[in-house]
Amino acid sequence: TGRMGVIYDGNDAQFSSRIRAIFTMTGESDAGLSFGGSIRADNSQDGNRGTAGSVWVSGTYGKLEMGDAVSASESAVGDLPAVGYTDGGFAGDLEEISYLTGDGENLDQGPNILYTYTINNISLFASASDGSDRAWFTTTGDNDNVECTYDPVTGELIDCSTVSTDDTAWSVGANYEAENFTVGLGYAKSGDAEEIVLGGNTTFAGVKLSAVYADYQDRNSISFGGDDATGNFVDDLTLTSDNFELGKTWGLGAEWQQDALRVAAFYRRDELRVTDAGAALDLDDRDFDSFGVGADYDLGGGAVVSGGIVDSDWLNDTVADMGVKFKF
Amino acid sequence: TGRMGVIYDGNDAQFSSRIRAIFTMTGESDAGLSFGGSIRADNSQDGNRGTAGSVWVSGTYGKLEMGDAVSASESAVGDLPAVGYTDGGFAGDLEEISYLTGDGENLDQGPNILYTYTINNISLFASASDGSDRAWFTTTGDNDNVECTYDPVTGELIDCSTVSTDDTAWSVGANYEAENFTVGLGYAKSGDAEEIVLGGNTTFAGVKLSAVYADYQDRNSISFGGDDATGNFVDDLTLTSDNFELGKTWGLGAEWQQDALRVAAFYRRDELRVTDAGAALDLDDRDFDSFGVGADYDLGGGAVVSGGIVDSDWLNDTVADMGVKFKF
Amino acid sequence: TGRMGVIYDGNDAQFSSRIRAIFTMTGESDAGLSFGGSIRADNSQDGNRGTAGSVWVSGTYGKLEMGDAVSASESAVGDLPAVGYTDGGFAGDLEEISYLTGDGENLDQGPNILYTYTINNISLFASASDGSDRAWFTTTGDNDNVECTYDPVTGELIDCSTVSTDDTAWSVGANYEAENFTVGLGYAKSGDAEEIVLGGNTTFAGVKLSAVYADYQDRNSISFGGDDATGNFVDDLTLTSDNFELGKTWGLGAEWQQDALRVAAFYRRDELRVTDAGAALDLDDRDFDSFGVGADYDLGGGAVVSGGIVDSDWLNDTVADMGVKFKF
């Protein structure tokens, strides 16, 4: 796939393009078990370690995927509609709900698994990391649970021991697909942090409406904005994950399609609670609102002209993109 | 593609081989607009950031390419003929004119664009960077225009501000292709530096003769030689880009082809002017001559046996290569 | 190719998966010379430098391969049978004989070559590095033979000189393939270190039996175990390559195949000799035994269910794996 166009970062219009080679492989055993995998060329080194792309087997008893899998929560509920030729990327993918586990999280423990089982209109999901970040042949790990002591004079190794353990990050979810609506529910846990997510969509008068509600406990590692070289909000230096934790996220989406034209919009609110440290500084809870709107025109043959605008409290300025995306 | 053989680096004969997987993708919209892109596996990570490979759209109104594009100058004029199975690589690609913009330059600002429009025998070219090296979602940048201050005691961020701006590096060019000759002209500007390039080729008595003349202003970042671990001329330590700037480059090429055999040669002179700093050291202007000759024999099926010799003032020793290159 | 499953590292059960895209390219010249190459996506950057994957030409006079080739010794004799869905990877590939040259060794000098010539039942092998680790255009090298002096006040370069030279690492080998047995012999030399390897296999009562015997001289860079974050045996800190050198390795293998089922096992002993430094510490020679057993069940279509167990003195604990490997 590829894309090319111009993004407006709030200060400058910038060229933004990319090209990716994606490899999708499938097979079938003699007894009819299907299996496959996919990896992009550009993250193939992580694919070789199991922390990018994934492999899967699928049969009567469901589908099991291993690698950089999404969580059960995300599988059951999903995200808000994306806008722009960079699919929301120009604004830091604010249409994506910040799921606690999977989809790039927990990969310090190596590959994750996702199990999916569908019966009639109901799909059940379960996902997990392996709970061990010990590096070993054929499986990566941050290995930050081992501490070694060295001779202060000679610098030689004296002893190593495991000083802490990792927790399995896991998630379960389910969704139900009716004729004119879909509803999903998910739960995830990673260390002390917890997540409950509820979402659904329905089509009404030709417009697909969607809603997501996520409630978090002890979700205290948040990154703020993508505003400049420092990655910080220069205007408000109290905004750090020491002072705030993510309490709730909820969002609404709408998509309208007619022939080659698609118009989409989303609204999202992230509710931040002050931590004890934040309260000690007399800080108050904060809400971050984000709003995006965009339009796509399908040229056929895999080419789509697209543009989007996003205005968000997470960003200092309103941002936009306009360009073409290709599927080939 | 692949290649294997032996290069002589002036001191040692060394094995030199490589293998590359190249992905070329194309498509066509319903209305007949063509689009495509290409990327190699080995630089696919940069392709994902828009700074390697490229994507393009092409229609009635010309072709627009974005990514690691060459400049308009280079498109209009081109380079001298390459020799050897490494296509001149064994001598540091001295057959390539050092174009001011494009082809790997200006990528600190993210992807570049190249626009091409051909009408009858005339092709027009325009290329540019976006003039912003601010890093942002979906577009890279060196981000070296932002300066932040930190609390000297706590180390905490106090403030950030944009302290300088980048210039758009741009180029325009044109060439004319007649029945038995081609002539091209290009101009480029990057910051204070400027480039005017003129070139052409004609076939005379079975020999294709080519010539390139480039004139530079304020071209003061030159790297000298590829001689050893230090990348410096060990014999003359005054040769640095503080003391010299590149004033002119001109070159001549000749290619003779008969059946499977091709013989090619090039001569090139780079004229260096002393800078004020160099003049203060009583240094004089310097010329660097390079001469290369080589022969190819096409085995058919994509395999070509090839060898080349290059003698250059940019290198301490005469170098050579001999091997096979494959297209598969 | 891909694989997914669970490995037991002696302490934890861990998910272990990977996915690889492999590109194999071939061609044929008009005169019938075949040529080709192969490279994986994940090590394509090294492939571009000639230190991963390889290219080859093959004709009446044998086959010449350049890149990350195996040694003549390894071509002639080979390794012990692999067990488990990670093909022995879960235990650090203890089924692989530690060949002195090729297969990832000597790549500090750039690409290696391997020449193979087969006449009737006899195959002859020769391999070599180029003996130069000087970095040069189109060929890599560690460049650690050059030493430069700098002005202690200004930091400017004064002079550079070549202070040492690299040795060509080379190997020769031969094997003979009879109706019901194969026997191979190899010799390799890299600097002061030497290797003599003898091996063979025969099929008896449906079981393929194999044996390898390797004798080393001055083989003094050994890495011990893969036990924890430090890569050292925490239990015995005298185990370093200062104190020990690898003297001998010998091993036995057995493989039994019936329909879709394959059962394989190997036993291996590495005999370590104390160095002078080790003797001064009153250390004794040490033997390291490794034993592995595994079973595969071929599901057809490229999917194989597989599991293995390895117990080795090189590892603190018995390790195991169980999973599926895919060819697609």
Side-chain angles (χ1 to χ4, degrees), chain A residues 273-324:
Chain A
R273 283 192 285 261
V274 288
T275 59
D276 292 345
L281 294 173
D282 273 338
L283 297 172
D284 292 321
D285 291 358
R286 293 273 296 257
D287 293 342
F288 283 73
D289 291 323
S290 304
F291 179 75
V293 62
D296 298 350
Y297 190 85
D298 192 336
L299 300 175
V304 175
V305 176
S306 190
I309 298 176
V310 169
D311 184 49
S312 171
D313 295 338
W314 291 103
L315 305 171
N316 270 358
D317 302 288
T318 301
V319 296
D321 80 351
M322 170 71 72
V324 202

Side-chain angles (χ1 to χ4, degrees), chain B residues 3 5 7 9 11-12 14-20 23 41-42 89-90 92 226-227 230 237 299-301 326 328, chain C residues 23 25 28-30 35 37-38 44-45 47-48 50 55 57 66 111 130 132 134 136-139 148 157-158 160:
Chain B
R3 65 190 192 197
I7 63 158
D9 64 18
N11 289 302
D12 299 312
Q14 295 201 44
F15 301 140
S16 169
S17 68
R18 78 174 184 202
I19 178 160
R20 289 175 162 180
F23 311 109
D42 63 279
F90 70 103
D227 190 56
T230 66
L237 297 173
L299 300 175
F326 308 118
F328 38 46
Chain C
F23 311 109
M25 312 161 198
E28 194 179 282
S29 79
D30 293 349
F35 53 87
S38 76
S44 53
Q45 291 177 2
N48 194 37
V55 285
V57 284
M66 193 181 287
D130 61 20
S132 164
R134 189 184 188 215
W136 186 256
F137 305 113
T138 79
T139 183
C148 298
L157 176 73
I158 295 175
C160 289

Side-chain angles (χ1 to χ4, degrees), chain B residues 79-83 95-96 208 210 252-255 262 264-266 292:
Chain B
D79 295 309
L80 297 169
V83 299
E95 77 284 358
E96 293 189 6
K208 183 181 176 186
S210 53
L252 301 170
E255 285 177 278
R262 171 186 172 266
F266 71 87

Side-chain angles (χ1 to χ4, degrees), chain A residues 23 25 28-30 35 37-38 44-45 47-48 50 55 57 66 111 130 132 134 136-139 148 157-158 160, chain C residues 3 5 7 9 11-12 14-20 23 41-42 89-90 92 226-227 230 237 299-301 326 328:
Chain A
F23 311 110
M25 312 161 199
E28 194 179 282
S29 79
D30 292 349
F35 54 87
S38 77
S44 52
Q45 291 177 3
N48 194 37
V55 285
V57 284
M66 193 181 287
D130 62 20
S132 164
R134 189 184 188 215
W136 186 256
F137 305 112
T138 78
T139 182
C148 298
L157 176 72
I158 295 175
C160 288
Chain C
R3 66 189 190 196
I7 63 157
D9 64 17
N11 288 301
D12 299 313
Q14 295 202 44
F15 301 140
S16 169
S17 68
R18 79 174 184 202
I19 178 160
R20 289 175 163 181
F23 311 109
D42 63 279
F90 71 103
D227 189 56
T230 65
L237 297 173
L299 300 175
F326 308 118
F328 38 48

Side-chain angles (χ1 to χ4, degrees), chain B residues 202-209 255-258:
Chain B
T202 184
T203 300
F204 182 79
V207 178
K208 183 181 176 186
L209 299 170
E255 285 177 278
W256 176 80
Q257 177 108 35
Q258 181 140 23

Side-chain angles (χ1 to χ4, degrees), chain C residues 274 277-284:
Chain C
V274 288
L281 295 172
D282 273 337
L283 298 172
D284 291 322

